[in-house]
Amino acid sequence: MQHQLWTRALFVVVLIGLYRWYSSMPGHGPEFAARTTAELKLPYMEFAGTLEQSAGDMREHRVIKLPNNLVVLCTRDPDATQAAATLHVDVGSLADPPELNGLAHFLEHMLFMGTEKYPDEGEYIAFIKKNGGQYNAFTSLDTTGYYFGVANSALEQTLDRFSRFFIDPLFAPGSVDRELHAVDSEHKGNLQDDYRREFQLERLLSNSSHPFSMFSTGNLETLRDGSQRLGLDIRQEMIRFYQKHYSADIMRLVVAGNYSVDQLIEWSAAKFSAIASKGDSRPASPGHPLTPGVLGKIVRYQTLRNVHRMRLQFAVPELKAQYRTRPDKYVIHLVELQSPGSLFDYLKAQGLATEIYAYISTINMDGFNIFDIVIDLTPKGFEHYEGVVRAVFAYLRVLADSGPQRWLHDERRVINDLEYRFYENPGVVKWTLTRARVNLNSHVAPKHYLSAGNSAIDYDADAIAGFMAHLRPHNYRLFLGAQSHGNIQLAATEKYYGTPYLIDDLSANLVGEAVMEWHEPYRLHLPGPNPFVPESTEVVSKSVPDANVATAPTLLQSTDGYELWFKQDDQFAQPRGYIRLHLAYERSSASFLDRVIAGILDECVNHILDKELSNAKISGMDYKVIFRMAGVDVKVTGFSDKLSHLLEAILKRLKALDIEEHVYHDSLTLLQQDYQNRRNMQPFRQLHHDHIIDNPLFDQLRTKEQLGYVVAVFETSYDAGQMILTFLAQSEANPAYLTQRIDKFIREIRQHIANYSASDFDAFVQALVSLKTTKLESIEEEADRFWRCVSLGTYDFDFVAQEVAQLKMLSKSDLLEYWDQYVNPDTAPHYTRVDTQLWPALIAYPSESDLVSYPESVIALSGCLDRSGLSGVSTADLARFVKRTSLSIGIEKSLADLKRLYSDKSADPQALERIAAEDSRIRSALEMALQASGRPAPRVIDNIDAFKATQQLHRLPEPAMELVPKFTT
């Protein structure tokens, strides 16, 4: 004990010394005042000025700086049931060594693999899952971010684990190969992503001596093979990168939870002060990646999705110091306008484009930035792309000739001020993520740590004019993407994504200043005043204590024809509203024809409304009009002042709907593209995860077996109350093998659940209660919850309270009983399961006869053998081998017999050696096939309608309350 006290005292003395040295440095005195924590007396510096804080932000904030120069924003949210923290490091993939592309990303993965204080590599994730949390990390060009959200009660313990990532990570040698494969799997999972394919092409074709031109994700070739070719130890290179760049001086930490700010400061100082301070460890900026030699080019490339995309890319300077004026935001606002006289209004009217948007790379980029104007073209627009480019520059000429307009800035400022004044709490996770990222900008003054990034604030005409001066024909390059480029041959192929492309010089009539003289025929002009800008922000409602908040809306009127519900806001005290209507068809149908007609109507109506009402969407309001097979949904939200005007305008247009021929054809084309593009969608979505079995599944299939980067289990609730438990894995392995591994997990997880201690089970329950009782963030979120109950006809407005009450009574035996009743394939009396398999082109798809004739385990084994380069044995021969082989002889003898079977077929000797490899999937596939011997082949669904007809119909939802309207007609 005496030794521990002495060590702690010495630690405090060292910190005080560091603090005194730091506080004496120039520029770190007047704004920050010396402080010590209440409990451990740890030194830190606190911002002594006034934080620029929204009047609607009821939380308490403090900015501190630890002795190691780590800046921390501590936020107390008294309504939060969840807590969160985000730490951003101001270094990303642009710091990768040229010979080891993806090293920063690989380091991000390895930081999760245990620390000296918490050496078990799965402990951090398991602890967060146990406490109802979430976690993730990401590597971008200029930054690397790590974050978590967790039950409020577990914040201190999670912070202790989280902080060690940046103090004493183990970088366990045993995890290196596994995480290299995880990085590789992540990259392969992105190969179908057109946005990543295009972005990598942009980088490849930039200045080759600039780090922007490198491949940031990394894969086995760039990391494992690349280091081996150079005689380097990839683990040591990663550690060297960490030691060089991960400095507290270039980190920003945000911690938020339902604790006093003093307590948050105490924990921050105690747990993060030990991060090493190494000064400004960011790599020096080597200039701009878009040098004159790479500008003035046209790049045609092939997309996977059926799109026609144009991108004009301009070289612009660094914008970090202009975070208060954001001249780019002024230009983006005008480029994206859809009102009469705008660029998009012209392109859409001519049938040339369907969407336009613009953005800069990121405000935090050091030494350079890139401004993109992206236009989704119609086939006609793609064919006449030169005319579209001329229209873009004609519009830019109009903006340049008109000069910066103070009234336009002021109009946007009014809306921005209203959004900031009537602030809607984004939740602790989103808050920490946003603030940590924005405050990485070293130009942001501490007093702006809460407000920076909330769009433009100050007006600077010179900055706007200076930014627009870079948007000239001599300072851009053009990208054209489509599935087909006609007779043009795309002769080159990008290395990492396999994207075919062709690069050439832009034609002379698209690069000279004469391009900007073509503005007269287009009739382009600046917008007029926005009629939807709110004029009144009176708040009629008053917030009441949480215990008195009404938990249900009031039914004002009800007849056979309609229901009218209303709730006066009593907890947000904001000048915002929500109106939603469902206009039911007299006859509803689920036919494919009706579905297509609804889709075309949806596209046509929104095409028309977006032109007439687009100003509403930039005035703090929003609308959605969705045509479904059963009726039309209309939803308007935002500032209340002109919300009724917006609804009236929508309904008038619906009543007097007139669809022009070109609008119909454009909408039909978009719908056709959408149907075709669904084939290339990522085969997964991140949904609500099951916290009890999600982590074991992830640990087994993702961490131990390396089956793929995406492994998850989640539940899906459908409209009528049905629930489906979904297990998901995305991998290079054949889908039959994945299904078998998931099936094995389902059969074994029951014992894992049974082994949970009472305290562990209670922790899971409390974590789920915490998630369900998280306070609503906005009027819209509350109203959407009510609308769900009304539209389903359940009227169970207090369903969250009911679920929480049931959760608190739940026992482990209840869960096991449920599992055995519905999920366990060996015990469930009405076991209903559908396996959906997406077979990639690289893996041979089994024949229909094989699928219906042989057990899936044999199909899985055959796929693993084929993937390993072993062929010559038919599925029938393999099935006979499995049938006559028994596990009783042992897996090694069985593998030897399998090897002999393929040897007789003159298989590749090197491939034969893979059969008995310890980490071979063939080993586990054979073991599963032998264990499953005798199980019938799965039923293949070849007629979906016929399959549905065999399923038991569910009951219609029953109202939870009697509907008694307040008024009668």
Side-chain angles (χ1 to χ4, degrees):
M1 176 63 71
Q2 184 176 6
H3 175 74
Q4 291 177 341
L5 291 174
W6 182 87
T7 302
R8 176 173 288 185
L10 178 62
F11 179 64
V12 171
V13 168
V14 171
L15 287 179
I16 291 174
L18 286 171
Y19 150 71
R20 288 176 177 169
W21 166 78
Y22 177 71
S23 60
S24 67
M25 294 176 64
H28 296 284
E31 284 192 314
F32 284 84
R35 299 281 190 272
T36 57
T37 64
E39 183 180 344
L40 297 177
K41 307 303 179 186
L42 299 174
Y44 67 93
M45 301 177 70
E46 181 177 314
F47 177 63
T50 301
L51 292 170
E52 189 175 83
Q53 182 172 350
S54 165
D57 184 0
M58 297 294 103
R59 298 167 302 177
E60 182 183 355
H61 310 273
R62 245 181 275 171
V63 175
I64 68 169
K65 193 176 292 184
L66 301 179
N68 58 1
N69 292 347
L70 174 63
V71 176
V72 187
L73 170 61
C74 295
T75 295
R76 175 182 181 267
D77 187 339
D79 294 323
T81 58
Q82 292 272 298
T86 296
L87 188 144
H88 268 285
V89 188
D90 200 8
V91 67
S93 60
L94 289 179
D96 282 346
E99 67 278 8
L100 293 174
N101 287 196
L103 191 62
H105 182 209
F106 176 50
L107 167 60
E108 172 222 305
H109 275 244
M110 286 296 295
L111 278 184
F112 286 84
M113 298 296 110
T115 63
E116 289 185 14
K117 187 170 183 180
Y118 300 98
D120 182 353
E121 66 179 41
E123 201 276 343
Y124 173 75
I125 297 173
F127 183 83
I128 287 180
K129 292 290 185 180
K130 175 183 174 181
N131 288 280
Q134 58 178 293
Y135 68 93
N136 212 334
F138 51 87
T139 304
S140 62
L141 291 175
D142 57 325
T143 181
T144 309
Y146 304 83
Y147 72 90
F148 70 82
V150 74
N152 197 68
S153 59
L155 177 59
E156 181 188 8
Q157 292 172 288
T158 312
L159 284 173
D160 197 48
R161 290 161 171 78
F162 184 61
S163 65
R164 309 313 293 189
F165 285 15
F166 315 102
I167 298 171
D168 54 10
L170 288 178
F171 301 122
S175 302
V176 170
D177 187 64
R178 189 169 62 241
E179 289 309 307
L180 283 171
H181 278 84
V183 169
D184 189 69
S185 178
E186 183 178 349
H187 167 59
K188 287 174 178 173
N190 293 327
L191 291 177
Q192 303 293 308
D193 188 328
D194 269 331
Y195 292 98
R196 287 181 178 268
R197 291 161 61 89
E198 181 183 0
F199 184 48
Q200 183 57 35
L201 195 58
E202 295 168 18
R203 300 180 65 180
L204 169 71
L205 301 178
S206 63
N207 179 8
S208 60
S209 63
H210 196 286
F212 182 79
S213 66
M214 298 191 297
F215 169 51
S216 59
T217 305
N219 61 9
L220 287 175
E221 180 186 354
T222 64
L223 293 167
R224 183 194 64 186
D225 302 344
S227 59
Q228 290 175 354
R229 281 194 302 268
L230 296 171
L232 300 174
D233 183 325
I234 187 63
R235 178 174 177 271
Q236 291 302 320
E237 294 303 310
M238 175 197 59
I239 293 173
R240 187 174 291 113
F241 183 97
Y242 172 84
Q243 292 174 338
K244 178 179 180 181
H245 292 296
Y246 271 49
S247 169
D249 305 74
I250 63 165
M251 295 178 178
R252 292 293 184 272
L253 172 66
V254 181
V255 181
N258 193 354
Y259 292 91
S260 69
V261 175
D262 287 337
Q263 182 64 78
L264 297 176
I265 291 173
E266 184 82 52
W267 289 339
S268 299
K271 302 178 189 307
F272 292 89
S273 291
I275 298 176
S277 171
K278 306 166 187 175
D280 187 345
S281 55
R282 295 172 298 175
S285 174
H288 210 293
L290 301 188
T291 50
V294 303
L295 296 171
K297 304 291 183 183
I298 178 172
V299 181
R300 295 177 172 87
Y301 67 96
Q302 187 180 72
T303 63
L304 297 176
R305 301 174 77 241
N306 183 13
V307 296
H308 299 86
R309 179 161 292 135
M310 169 187 288
R311 180 183 301 270
L312 292 87
Q313 199 165 72
F314 298 86
V316 297
E318 177 186 314
L319 296 169
K320 294 175 73 171
Q322 297 174 314
Y323 74 94
R324 292 284 287 183
T325 58
R326 292 302 300 269
D328 58 299
K329 292 286 188 181
Y330 177 92
V331 178
I332 290 171
H333 169 73
L334 291 172
V335 168
E336 293 183 344
L337 280 178
Q338 300 185 30
S339 54
S342 67
L343 171 62
F344 186 65
D345 179 52
Y346 167 78
L347 294 176
K348 201 169 185 179
Q350 299 298 315
L352 300 173
T354 60
E355 188 175 5
I356 185 170
Y357 52 96
Y359 57 88
I360 61 166
S361 296
T362 168
I363 186 65
N364 282 347
M365 204 71 79
D366 281 320
F368 73 95
N369 223 303
I370 298 172
F371 182 71
D372 289 87
I373 297 176
V374 183
I375 306 173
D376 284 344
L377 302 171
T378 62
K380 175 184 175 182
F382 190 75
E383 181 182 355
H384 301 284
Y385 75 90
E386 290 195 353
V388 177
V389 173
R390 286 193 289 268
V392 171
F393 281 108
Y395 188 64
L396 293 176
R397 173 65 182 269
V398 169
L399 304 188
D401 288 351
S402 302
Q405 301 290 308
R406 180 64 186 252
W407 73 267
L408 264 173
H409 172 273
D410 290 346
E411 185 178 84
R412 292 173 54 242
R413 174 71 184 267
V414 168
I415 299 167
N416 181 71
D417 285 349
L418 288 174
E419 293 280 7
Y420 191 60
R421 175 184 167 195
F422 298 105
Y423 178 84
E424 292 183 316
N425 188 338
V428 290
V429 173
K430 186 175 180 180
W431 169 257
T432 63
L433 276 166
T434 302
R435 289 297 99 201
R437 172 73 174 178
V438 171
N439 295 340
L440 262 184
N441 183 351
S442 56
H443 291 273
V444 174
K447 66 181 179 179
H448 297 144
Y449 275 5
L450 304 181
S451 60
N454 292 305
S455 192
I457 296 176
D458 299 331
Y459 178 69
D460 187 335
D462 291 339
I464 294 171
F467 183 84
M468 289 173 54
H470 294 282
L471 310 184
R472 310 290 292 187
H474 68 275
N475 191 45
Y476 85 107
R477 58 180 181 173
L478 181 68
F479 287 81
L480 291 176
Q483 285 183 332
S484 172
H485 290 260
N487 296 325
I488 298 175
Q489 297 297 314
L490 308 182
T493 302
E494 191 277 323
K495 179 178 181 180
Y496 297 106
Y497 289 84
T499 307
Y501 71 95
L502 178 68
I503 184 170
D504 205 346
D505 292 331
L506 279 165
S507 59
N509 64 338
L510 292 182
V511 292
E513 289 297 315
V515 178
M516 301 191 77
E517 302 298 329
W518 289 59
H519 58 287
E520 288 299 332
Y522 299 100
R523 298 180 181 176
L524 302 168
H525 57 80
L526 292 177
N530 186 341
F532 287 102
V533 174
E535 297 174 18
S536 170
T537 56
E538 180 185 4
V539 179
V540 177
S541 60
K542 304 296 181 183
S543 58
V544 300
D546 289 349
N548 298 333
V549 170
T551 58
T554 299
L555 179 61
L556 297 182
Q557 288 185 332
S558 176
T559 70
D560 291 339
Y562 78 101
E563 295 173 17
L564 177 61
W565 294 85
F566 173 76
K567 180 178 185 289
Q568 180 69 55
D569 171 40
D570 56 2
Q571 60 177 318
F572 299 102
Q574 298 238 343
R576 302 178 192 268
Y578 175 108
I579 306 173
R580 188 156 182 176
L581 303 91
H582 175 73
L583 309 174
Y585 299 147
E586 184 176 351
R587 177 188 64 85
S588 63
S589 170
S591 71
F592 285 109
L593 176 60
D594 285 341
R595 187 178 303 172
V596 170
I597 291 174
I600 295 175
L601 271 172
D602 199 86
E603 291 287 353
C604 289
V605 169
N606 282 283
H607 183 291
I608 296 167
L609 292 178
D610 286 346
K611 177 178 180 178
E612 299 177 0
L613 303 175
S614 61
N615 276 327
K617 290 191 174 184
I618 57 176
S619 304
M621 291 186 286
D622 196 11
Y623 65 85
K624 291 181 181 177
V625 179
I626 303 174
F627 284 80
R628 307 182 191 275
M629 288 177 288
V632 186
D633 280 340
V634 180
K635 174 181 173 180
V636 293
T637 59
F639 289 116
S640 306
D641 183 39
K642 298 183 180 179
L643 206 59
S644 60
H645 301 307
L646 175 59
L647 178 63
E648 183 179 6
I650 292 172
L651 295 179
K652 281 183 176 179
R653 170 49 75 185
L654 290 177
K655 185 177 180 180
L657 187 61
D658 179 23
I659 301 175
E660 298 179 52
E661 191 74 18
H662 76 91
V663 172
Y664 169 77
H665 285 296
D666 289 348
S667 299
L668 182 60
T669 299
L670 281 174
L671 191 63
Q672 290 171 333
Q673 289 178 345
D674 181 61
Y675 280 131
Q676 293 169 7
N677 291 334
R678 291 181 188 183
R679 300 173 185 172
N680 290 312
M681 289 177 63
Q682 288 278 30
F684 64 89
R685 294 179 299 168
Q686 293 293 346
L687 300 175
H688 180 66
H689 288 222
D690 184 296
H691 288 281
I692 287 186
I693 57 178
D694 182 53
N695 188 58
L697 180 76
F698 183 90
D699 182 60
Q700 180 63 38
L701 301 189
R702 157 64 165 82
T703 305
K704 293 177 180 175
E705 298 188 27
Q706 286 292 293
L707 276 181
Y709 183 69
V710 178
V711 174
V713 56
F714 48 84
E715 53 89 3
T716 307
S717 298
Y718 285 89
D719 287 348
Q722 284 65 43
M723 298 183 69
I724 291 179
L725 188 63
T726 302
F727 294 82
L728 169 71
Q730 180 183 344
S731 170
E732 293 179 83
N734 72 80
Y737 178 80
L738 292 179
T739 302
Q740 289 289 298
R741 298 310 292 170
I742 292 173
D743 184 77
K744 179 178 174 63
F745 174 85
I746 292 172
R747 294 175 186 276
E748 296 178 351
I749 189 60
R750 187 192 189 284
Q751 189 58 47
H752 186 88
I753 298 172
N755 290 339
Y756 278 126
S757 66
S759 60
D760 284 342
F761 186 81
D762 288 345
F764 279 119
V765 170
Q766 290 305 315
L768 195 51
V769 168
S770 174
L771 282 174
K772 287 186 173 293
T773 55
T774 298
K775 189 167 184 178
L776 298 173
E777 297 174 5
S778 65
I779 291 174
E780 182 174 3
E781 188 177 357
E782 180 186 37
D784 276 338
R785 180 177 287 184
F786 291 150
W787 178 260
R788 170 189 174 275
C789 301
V790 171
S791 62
L792 293 179
T794 58
Y795 307 106
D796 54 341
F797 300 110
D798 62 342
F799 72 91
V800 172
Q802 293 181 41
E803 289 181 0
V804 168
Q806 291 296 320
L807 270 172
K808 290 180 178 179
M809 294 188 293
L810 191 69
S811 68
K812 185 171 67 174
S813 61
D814 293 330
L815 182 61
L816 291 172
E817 181 181 346
Y818 180 89
W819 185 268
D820 291 338
Q821 181 74 13
Y822 297 104
V823 185
N824 189 337
D826 297 322
T827 61
H830 300 291
Y831 186 67
T832 303
R833 166 175 151 185
V834 176
D835 296 339
T836 303
Q837 299 178 351
L838 301 179
W839 287 71
L842 295 175
I843 300 177
Y845 183 70
S847 68
E848 185 174 344
S849 61
D850 282 355
L851 285 173
V852 299
S853 302
Y854 305 112
E856 186 176 56
S857 56
V858 172
I859 302 293
L861 175 59
S862 176
C864 290
L865 289 161
D866 183 69
R867 184 72 172 164
S868 297
L870 291 159
S871 58
V873 176
S874 68
T875 309
D877 288 342
L878 193 60
R880 282 190 288 270
F881 168 82
V882 169
K883 190 172 182 178
R884 69 172 182 262
T885 305
S886 171
L887 260 182
S888 61
I889 66 173
I891 187 62
E892 298 301 334
K893 178 66 168 59
S894 301
L895 285 166
D897 291 345
L898 181 63
K899 183 176 179 181
R900 192 174 301 110
L901 175 67
Y902 275 84
S903 297
D904 294 342
K905 303 295 182 180
S906 302
D908 177 10
Q910 289 185 337
L912 282 172
E913 296 306 315
R914 299 189 193 111
I915 289 181
E918 284 292 331
D919 60 348
S920 171
R921 288 174 184 159
I922 298 172
R923 172 184 293 267
S924 55
L926 176 58
E927 192 170 19
M928 290 189 299
L930 296 176
Q931 290 172 340
S933 183
R935 291 183 190 166
R939 174 186 172 189
V940 178
I941 302 173
D942 52 13
N943 186 319
I944 295 177
D945 290 332
F947 170 74
K948 287 181 178 179
T950 67
Q951 301 303 297
Q952 183 179 359
L953 293 177
H954 61 77
R955 295 185 305 172
L956 291 174
E958 297 179 3
M961 60 178 285
E962 182 182 357
L963 300 186
V964 180
K966 184 174 182 178
F967 304 105
T968 57
T969 54

